[in-house]
Amino acid sequence: MNRPRRRPHWSRRIGHVLLVLAATAFLTIFLALPLAVVFVEAFRQGLRAYLSAIGQHEALMAIRLTLLVAAISVPLNVVFGVAAAWAMARFEFRGKALLGAFIDLPFSVSPVISGLVYVLLFGAQGWFGRWLELHDVKIIFAIPGLVLATIFITLPFVARELIPLMQSQGSDEEEAARVLGAGGWQMFFRVTLPNIRWALLYGVLLCNARAMGEFGAVSVVSGHIRGLTTTMPLEVEMLYNEYNYVGAFAVATLLALLALATLSIKALLEWRYGDEIAAHAPGGH
Amino acid sequence: MRRRILPGFGLSLGYALTYLGLIVLLPLVALAWKASGIGVGGMLHLLSSPRTLAALKLSFGGAILAAIINVCFGLLVAWVLVRYRFPGRRLFDALVDLPFALPTAVAGIALTALYAPNGWLGHWLKHYGIQIAYAPPGVILAMVFVGFPFVVRTLQPVLESLDRDVEEAAESLGASHAQTFFRVILPMLVPTLLTGFALALARAVGEYGSVIFIAGNIPMRSEIAPLLIVEKLEEFDYAGAAALGTVMLIASFALLILIAVLQRWSGRWAEQLQ
Amino acid sequence: MTLELSHLSRRFTDYPALDDVSLVIAPGEFLALLGPSGSGKTTLLRILAGLDYPDAGTVQLDGDDFLAAQAHKRKVGLVFQHYALFRHLTVAENVAFGLRVRSRKARPSRAQIAERVQQLLKRVQLDDHGHRYPSQLSGGQRQRVALARALAVEPDLLLLDEPFGALDAQVRVTLRRWLRELHEDLQLTTVFVTHDQEEALELADRIAVMNRGRIEQVGSPEVIYRQPATPFVCEFIGKVNKIPLTYANQRLSAGEWVLEGHPWNGRHANVVAYVRPEHLSLGGTDTQPGWTARLRHVYLAGSVAHLELYVPSIDQTLEADVAGEDVARLGLQSGAELRVAPRNAIVFTLSEQAGETSAEGRWVWQA
């Protein structure tokens, strides 16, 4: 790969330039332009309108709810991801491949179905609907439903990041810790966790971005109760459907900034700790 | 009973299985249960209604078309990003992941703002009689957007590991650049392209957020299957929603198995190439 | 502490890694487990470390069940083949690890730990490398850190898995000598695994030669080399000429070489003799049992000359080692015809069962 290449013929170099131009033009029009339009539309009526749109009570409540949902679901999926990765990468057991397939499952299910299944379970006509009603517990059209749907959608992120990395790292260091007298948790906190920290952060980053940006699944279970069960993406939808474009795009800019921050940190992690983050295929609905 | 060397097997596996069972399996069982409530006849009746058929046709047909488009543009972009050095390459490379990171609702309204008849690009396309938003092309456009990174990210590592010697050998045997590409490189990429195609397809079939804004959601014309599920839920037709959901779920499983087979095949293929 | 391994068996899915292995390890002994890859030596070591368990058999330490203790309770020091240093910890932190994870009661104070680490680093000649990370060290340095880390917990038993396997030749020789001295200093019971016979012969008090999950022979390097118990040990240790013998008229022979007075009666279809290159004499008289051979090549390697001799009567090429000065004295040149006579040989009768050859009888022949 690194051998010096001869200078290509001029006709070929023009071909290269044309290919590069075609690809970058496609990326610009197709990916960069939609990103740009979000910001332009949000500031169409000036900074003041933008700020007042973001300062709306409903918008603030949506921000709060989004943070809350992510703050519950991401840590839960981190614990799950670490446990699943430990079992998958360190032990041989029957049905391991099947477990791996089930971990990936939420990525291949339509988000609408991810929401639907909880409605069927906890909704008024659902399996537990009557019992929940009797005991005055609200899951669907309430925050627990939003959290459940978000957990479902983002369940694979951390596990998928950790499993290949831990498999490739092998268990030598953990075995060394055991022989040196470390107990189980000592081994975990002093050896395992430090070795997977960047991959874990990477997984948390992607998991969080998805948890905050999820739309389809939470839309099904939310009931769209303004100020109570609307997360930011749902707020965007509601404002948009009310023809409040500046409001919709203003909230959207926050989500777009989240996406940009996620991408930047992701690129930074890949660049700085590339070998401590497993090579991975993209995933997710 | 063999003793396990490292601690925590029971705890970690037990926790993972319980969590997975409660969060994923139990709800899916509820879905299948509810769907079975309408019986085979009900299922057939539901599936044969013109509106359902049209929605499924748009979801699957549009997703296939979008995946084909993604394979073409994905190959172009991956090739350029891997093979050529040009200013801003890193930035463009990072941009490829945007559809992963950008919440679908944001993507949906942004695409609509661009391609609506009065939008940035839409009003210009209108002059040529092309309508994208509020019509099937809009659905496909959104599907291309969300599926795009899959093809590029699947192709990139394979392109990077391709042995240049083979190309040089082909050229030294007198093949033209085009012949080298179509007869030597492309055949080696087929399994990877298929994997990327299947991944993009799986994503596009179930896509909801980015599509519903631009689709216009006209029944029989630009209404996708996931939206139909939502509408059935809003009409409290839980069994109908569950039945349609099950059909889509089975289709996703089939795709999942297909992807696994393809990935195994391309893995073996890659080994053979080395 | 005496470690007594009896009837250990361990099956992996497709092959037996250990097959009825028994061995006694004496206090203070330096024991080598020598064998080719897949012979079960690493499995045996991992069982001693508590990183694997036998399907059957026991290990007793001074009469107590050693297998009952889990890895972290065994007080063994293990040096992994690829060292398994904690990559996120500095050299000093690596060495201190085993002390820091002790329960509060058994844990030395910070100052004591620091002192002990410094002392160990000095012992492995890395006292100014304490703040570095494993990735900043050379292979030989990492090996020594791994050793210091294993010694820090003051183990009763030191286990080394291919300790020099990943190092280049020069570093190996230095480290070997150094490890021998360290053992003499500490008198710590040490078991090491190797596939390199030279390493085992040079370092160990005693060698256990392993093959296909079994111990073929245990003994001092001297015994292993001079009195190999099985064909495998003959072939695995040192260089050896393998000469098939024919049986006729109650006598064993190979070409003109006739071996009188073998202990077996009856016919033996499959008999081989093993003769070490240094046990072939040159230029003897016709009365000595031996062959006429043609010299093909002479490789002069310092004080020793390796000769390649073709023997037409058995259609085989033999290797012989003679003192370098003899080459000049005898005026040896390739193409020369000369007499070759074995001084001693080890003879096995072999039997084949289910595709596996095993030795039935063993006879030490001397001229």
Side-chain angles (χ1 to χ4, degrees):
Chain A
M1 273 301 211
N2 286 329
R3 86 186 76 147
R5 266 174 287 149
R6 70 200 141 88
R7 219 176 155 70
H9 190 254
W10 65 269
S11 66
R12 198 165 190 190
R13 275 176 23 224
I14 288 183
H16 291 181
V17 170
L18 287 178
L19 277 178
V20 170
L21 281 179
T24 50
F26 175 80
L27 289 172
T28 307
I29 294 172
F30 199 67
L31 299 179
L33 206 55
L35 190 64
V37 87
V38 173
F39 289 92
V40 173
E41 290 293 331
F43 288 99
R44 183 158 287 247
Q45 289 168 21
L47 184 63
R48 182 166 298 215
Y50 173 83
L51 288 177
S52 107
I54 288 190
Q56 289 292 314
H57 175 71
E58 285 85 3
L60 291 176
M61 291 304 279
I63 294 172
R64 220 184 75 152
L65 182 60
T66 301
L67 293 175
L68 176 71
V69 168
I72 299 171
S73 43
V74 174
L76 283 173
N77 279 340
V78 166
V79 175
F80 164 77
V82 172
W86 181 253
M88 293 273 293
R90 291 291 177 263
F91 302 99
E92 290 306 319
F93 52 92
R94 216 177 291 177
K96 191 163 141 176
L98 194 67
L99 177 63
F102 275 119
I103 291 175
D104 276 350
L105 192 64
F107 274 169
S108 48
V109 172
S110 172
V112 168
I113 295 175
S114 315
L116 167 71
V117 290
Y118 290 107
V119 175
L120 297 178
L121 216 49
F122 302 118
Q125 295 180 38
W127 276 6
F128 304 118
R130 169 142 303 183
W131 187 89
L132 291 172
E133 208 174 336
L134 270 167
H135 292 79
D136 203 27
V137 181
K138 273 196 86 63
I139 292 186
I140 299 305
F141 306 150
I143 293 172
L146 296 174
V147 172
L148 278 173
T150 306
I151 289 177
F152 183 102
I153 287 284
T154 59
L155 180 136
F157 279 103
V158 176
R160 267 178 74 123
E161 206 50 57
L162 295 184
I163 290 168
L165 177 76
M166 286 174 69
Q167 271 167 345
S168 74
Q169 279 183 345
S171 54
D172 270 10
E173 287 183 42
E174 279 130 4
E175 289 177 357
R178 285 299 269 178
V179 174
L180 288 168
W185 291 111
Q186 281 179 321
M187 174 207 68
F188 176 74
F189 284 110
R190 286 169 182 259
V191 176
T192 309
L193 208 53
N195 275 339
I196 59 171
R197 57 192 161 179
W198 297 116
L200 190 64
L201 183 60
Y202 193 88
V204 166
L205 186 74
L206 301 185
C207 184
N208 179 66
R210 189 60 202 268
M212 291 188 170
E214 177 49 28
F215 175 73
V218 292
S219 153
V220 174
V221 293
S222 133
H224 295 82
I225 307 163
R226 258 274 159 80
L228 284 180
T229 64
T230 48
T231 59
M232 286 161 77
L234 297 176
E235 185 68 19
V236 169
E237 181 203 17
M238 290 178 76
L239 292 167
Y240 188 84
N241 288 345
E242 290 159 4
Y243 305 103
N244 181 352
Y245 291 141
V246 168
F249 280 102
V251 178
T253 56
L254 299 180
L255 289 169
L257 286 175
L258 169 74
L260 286 177
T262 303
L263 286 183
S264 316
I265 302 172
K266 180 170 166 288
L268 184 74
L269 283 175
E270 280 165 1
W271 168 68
R272 180 74 181 75
Y273 303 105
D275 46 347
E276 292 177 57
I277 297 167
H280 56 286
H285 242 288
Chain B
M1 180 55 204
R2 284 248 355 269
R3 276 173 275 193
R4 306 260 175 198
I5 305 313
L6 292 172
F9 175 67
L11 179 68
S12 60
L13 186 65
Y15 182 78
L17 285 179
T18 312
Y19 190 87
L20 206 57
L22 289 176
I23 297 290
V24 178
L25 290 184
L26 178 71
L28 288 180
V29 170
L31 174 72
W33 183 272
K34 195 81 190 174
S36 70
I38 65 168
V40 180
M43 187 82 103
L44 285 177
H45 177 76
L46 173 85
L47 287 182
S48 59
S49 97
R51 192 170 163 191
T52 314
L53 276 179
L56 285 172
K57 210 173 119 191
L58 180 61
S59 271
F60 284 92
I64 289 171
L65 210 62
I68 292 172
I69 296 171
N70 270 331
V71 164
C72 300
F73 283 103
L75 179 60
L76 168 72
V77 169
W79 180 266
V80 166
L81 287 176
V82 169
R83 285 299 173 97
Y84 306 132
R85 296 289 168 270
F86 53 93
R89 191 183 65 95
R90 276 180 161 280
L91 195 67
F92 280 108
D93 190 82
L95 195 62
V96 170
D97 279 334
L98 184 72
F100 283 151
L102 194 67
T104 51
V106 179
I109 62 168
L111 289 175
T112 315
L114 280 179
Y115 294 97
N118 58 352
W120 291 17
L121 300 172
H123 81 100
W124 179 73
L125 289 166
K126 205 168 64 178
H127 283 296
Y128 301 92
I130 302 170
Q131 191 193 357
I132 288 184
Y134 314 134
V139 174
I140 291 162
L141 184 86
M143 286 175 167
V144 172
F145 182 84
V146 296
F148 180 70
F150 287 93
V151 180
V152 179
R153 292 295 183 236
T154 319
L155 268 173
Q156 264 176 330
V158 179
L159 279 178
E160 267 159 21
S161 68
L162 269 194
D163 199 349
R164 291 266 173 109
D165 288 355
V166 188
E167 283 163 60
E168 285 169 2
E171 279 171 34
S172 74
L173 290 169
S176 70
H177 303 320
Q179 280 174 320
T180 306
F181 182 80
F182 285 104
R183 287 175 180 248
V184 178
I185 298 169
L186 205 55
M188 293 199 281
L189 295 178
V190 165
T192 316
L193 286 170
L194 281 175
T195 307
F197 172 84
L199 285 168
L201 176 65
R203 170 72 208 247
V205 165
E207 180 52 24
Y208 178 71
S210 55
V211 175
I212 54 161
F213 294 98
I214 199 171
N217 307 323
I218 307 150
M220 306 293 296
R221 183 150 184 264
S222 63
E223 186 181 55
I224 53 168
L227 181 69
L228 206 55
I229 296 178
V230 173
E231 279 168 9
K232 287 196 184 297
L233 267 181
E234 278 166 5
E235 294 157 10
F236 300 105
D237 177 9
Y238 282 22
L244 197 53
T246 308
V247 170
M248 296 210 57
L249 199 61
I250 290 168
S252 319
F253 284 166
L255 272 173
L256 198 65
I257 293 167
L258 178 73
I259 292 168
V261 171
L262 283 173
Q263 271 168 344
R264 187 167 300 179
W265 179 41
S266 62
R268 270 215 306 274
W269 184 261
E271 271 169 34
Q272 273 173 20
L273 289 180
Q274 268 149 30
Chain C
M1 49 158 276
T2 303
L3 209 53
E4 199 172 341
L5 291 61
S6 44
H7 306 294
L8 291 177
S9 290
R10 173 80 173 93
R11 268 203 85 79
F12 291 131
T13 37
D14 43 350
Y15 66 101
L18 289 180
D19 184 3
D20 195 30
V21 166
S22 297
L23 183 68
V24 176
I25 301 168
E29 165 165 62
F30 202 171
L31 176 85
L33 298 174
L34 173 66
S37 62
S39 61
K41 53 192 195 302
T42 296
T43 307
L44 191 60
L45 196 80
R46 287 175 66 84
I47 286 176
L48 291 181
L51 296 177
D52 202 342
Y53 287 89
D55 301 323
T58 59
V59 179
Q60 293 197 315
L61 175 69
D62 295 330
D64 296 329
D65 183 6
F66 193 58
L67 295 179
Q70 281 190 299
H72 64 295
K73 303 275 187 206
R74 282 202 190 174
K75 288 201 74 173
V76 298
L78 172 61
V79 176
F80 287 70
Q81 186 177 1
H82 301 287
Y83 321 132
L85 295 179
F86 305 126
R87 64 196 97 175
H88 63 287
L89 300 180
T90 63
V91 166
E93 287 165 337
N94 261 283
V95 176
F97 186 91
L99 300 171
R100 289 200 178 145
V101 296
R102 285 189 182 167
S103 67
R104 192 159 306 209
K105 259 189 272 165
R107 187 165 57 214
S109 72
R110 253 167 206 281
Q112 281 169 319
I113 292 178
E115 197 192 315
R116 174 125 184 83
V117 168
Q118 222 12 259
Q119 194 187 331
L120 278 159
L121 287 180
K122 197 160 195 165
R123 179 168 270 290
V124 299
Q125 296 153 15
L126 287 170
D127 32 345
D128 50 350
H129 288 65
H131 56 282
R132 299 213 189 167
Y133 284 91
S135 58
Q136 300 168 310
L137 302 181
S138 71
Q141 289 172 329
R142 284 181 210 182
Q143 216 267 353
R144 282 180 280 154
V145 175
L147 197 65
R149 185 177 72 175
L151 291 174
V153 294
E154 296 179 313
D156 298 331
L157 173 66
L158 182 63
L159 305 171
L160 307 156
D161 188 0
E162 296 275 6
F164 313 109
L167 301 174
D168 54 49
Q170 270 207 309
V171 183
R172 254 171 211 243
V173 174
T174 326
L175 268 179
R176 251 190 236 166
R177 209 152 292 160
W178 177 81
L179 188 63
R180 181 76 234 182
E181 279 163 22
L182 188 79
H183 180 256
E184 272 155 21
D185 252 22
L186 299 173
Q187 289 300 317
L188 181 62
T189 313
T190 305
V191 179
F192 76 103
V193 153
T194 181
H195 64 272
D196 182 346
Q197 35 137 338
E198 219 177 289
E199 209 166 279
L201 292 172
E202 188 184 320
L203 273 177
D205 298 329
R206 223 151 53 101
I207 299 174
V209 183
M210 297 191 66
N211 180 34
R212 299 184 188 208
R214 291 175 158 272
I215 293 185
E216 297 258 341
Q217 186 177 9
V218 188
S220 68
E222 171 89 13
V223 168
I224 296 278
Y225 188 80
R226 298 213 185 280
Q227 299 156 39
T230 66
F232 175 81
V233 178
C234 283
E235 287 179 41
F236 193 72
I237 310 286
K239 281 193 294 187
V240 74
N241 294 297
K242 180 182 182 180
I243 303 158
L245 303 180
T246 49
Y247 185 85
N249 305 325
Q250 297 290 310
R251 291 194 316 188
L252 291 165
S253 63
E256 308 106 278
W257 183 38
V258 179
L259 296 85
E260 306 272 5
H262 70 87
W264 301 297
N265 341 310
R267 244 189 99 74
H268 291 279
N270 203 349
V271 186
V272 288
Y274 288 95
V275 181
R276 295 231 184 259
E278 67 268 30
H279 292 157
L280 283 172
S281 318
L282 301 184
T285 57
D286 286 1
T287 53
Q288 256 182 297
W291 306 280
T292 307
R294 195 166 61 245
L295 182 60
R296 278 206 171 149
H297 283 292
V298 181
Y299 307 96
L300 205 60
S303 57
V304 182
H306 305 293
L307 312 184
E308 213 173 81
L309 299 154
Y310 177 69
V311 180
S313 63
I314 54 173
D315 190 25
Q316 211 179 331
T317 302
L318 303 178
E319 278 184 62
D321 289 357
V322 298
E325 54 206 40
D326 287 357
V327 177
R329 188 171 54 79
L330 295 169
L332 296 177
Q333 278 183 329
S334 34
E337 291 243 328
L338 58 148
R339 283 290 292 176
V340 188
R343 285 196 301 274
N344 48 55
I346 296 178
V347 185
F348 294 98
T349 59
L350 305 175
S351 71
E352 204 144 331
Q353 266 178 344
E356 254 187 71
T357 333
S358 59
E360 282 196 327
R362 176 173 174 272
W363 172 42
V364 181
W365 175 85
Q366 254 162 351

